Amino acid sequence: MHCPFCRNTDTRVLDSRVAEDGKSIRRRRQCPACERRFTTLEQMQLVVVKRSGVVEPFSREKVITGVAKACKGRPVSETDLARLGQQVEETLRASGQAEIPADEVGLTILGPLRELDAVAYLRFASVYKNFDSVDDFSEEIQTLRQPTLTTH
């Protein structure tokens, strides 16, 4: 860790604590060269592995944009989309994996989207699951009609 003041390449950790959000670590550091103190926050880098093998950083905004297309013309607010994006990110982070397959991101979206809007869910699922026929829609509609299991 470089000192932000004198650019010395060596710093000493004085204190480490879990940050208030519970998702990052706050470290208090001191530079041995200039003796100034500073704070750093460390957070797990979450990346998505695409089918092609390309790895890119997870983007909550990309999730929201994709879901927004499925929600076009539906009674879904920007707040609903933001909440869904946050829920998806929290679920993925809670998995403990640093590298998430793209398919898993899609699966993680389906649950909250089903709860948010059934029509948007069908639109998203039809693309995500590569529906080929009306029968695919019929089967998915049947699963939608089944009550969801909630765990407490």
Side-chain angles (χ1 to χ4, degrees), residues 109-122:
I109 291 170
L110 287 173
L113 184 55
R114 178 180 175 167
E115 297 297 317
L116 183 62
D117 187 275
V119 173
Y121 167 85
L122 276 175

Side-chain angles (χ1 to χ4, degrees), residues 5 23 25 33 59 67 89 111 124:
F5 305 107
K23 299 174 189 163
I25 298 174
S59 167
V67 172
E89 182 174 355
F124 188 87

Side-chain angles (χ1 to χ4, degrees), residues 63-84:
V63 168
I64 292 169
T65 301
V67 172
K69 290 176 186 174
C71 294
K72 190 168 176 106
R74 302 297 304 155
V76 176
S77 70
E78 295 290 323
T79 303
D80 292 333
L81 291 173
R83 196 174 300 119
L84 184 141

Side-chain angles (χ1 to χ4, degrees), residues 38-99:
F38 58 99
T39 301
T40 59
L41 284 175
E42 295 178 19
Q43 187 175 38
M44 179 181 78
Q45 179 69 40
L46 191 61
V47 295
V48 176
V49 182
K50 297 189 164 204
R51 289 185 187 117
S52 64
V54 173
V55 176
E56 67 179 40
F58 172 80
S59 167
R60 185 188 300 186
E61 290 73 31
K62 197 168 180 180
V63 168
I64 292 169
T65 301
V67 172
K69 290 176 186 174
C71 294
K72 190 168 176 106
R74 302 297 304 155
V76 176
S77 70
E78 295 290 323
T79 303
D80 292 333
L81 291 173
R83 196 174 300 119
L84 184 141
Q86 179 179 355
Q87 188 176 359
V88 168
E89 182 174 355
E90 287 174 356
T91 300
L92 293 173
R93 286 193 185 281
S95 75
Q97 297 176 297
E99 294 186 355

Side-chain angles (χ1 to χ4, degrees), residues 7-26:
R7 305 301 298 158
N8 183 31
T9 58
D10 185 35
T11 60
R12 191 172 61 125
V13 175
L14 302 174
D15 182 47
S16 294
R17 297 178 188 194
V18 174
E20 290 176 16
D21 64 3
K23 299 174 189 163
S24 56
I25 298 174
R26 179 190 165 280

